[in-house]
Amino acid sequence: MQPGIHPAYGPVVFRDRAAGFAFLTRSTLTGDATVEWEDGHTYPVVDVEISSASHPFYTGTARVLDTAGRVERFERRYGTRGAR
């Protein structure tokens, strides 16, 4: 890598405020706020809206949409494709 053209890569805490979940990782992203982590060190913190702790797919609360029923209801209302 060429020196001087890449952003700084360091430890950052990503915090999901909705779920009360945080994890420490490395990133080029930095935040203005800081937080004291479990190891006693202070790291920049980035607040995110959704993470694996609050996403419906990972939490098991995802809903399956009834697409077949919607298509059938649409065809009853407006007719089938190609029929005139």
Side-chain angles (χ1 to χ4, degrees):
M1 292 182 13
Q2 293 181 344
I5 64 168
H6 298 285
Y9 184 71
V12 177
V13 173
F14 286 92
R15 179 173 53 191
D16 183 354
R17 302 287 284 199
F21 176 71
F23 58 94
L24 176 66
T25 187
R26 295 177 53 91
S27 176
T28 58
L29 193 62
T30 59
D32 296 333
T34 59
V35 67
E36 186 172 339
W37 192 244
E38 300 162 355
D39 61 1
H41 292 91
T42 302
Y43 298 107
V45 64
V46 176
D47 291 326
V48 294
E49 293 182 18
I50 196 160
S51 70
S52 61
S54 60
H55 194 279
F57 178 78
Y58 295 106
T59 59
T61 59
R63 296 182 299 166
V64 177
L65 295 177
D66 181 21
T67 56
R70 290 177 182 220
V71 171
E72 291 168 359
R73 187 171 56 217
F74 178 84
E75 288 177 350
R76 275 187 303 211
R77 284 185 187 168
Y78 303 107
T80 59
R81 182 184 270 179
R84 293 182 189 192

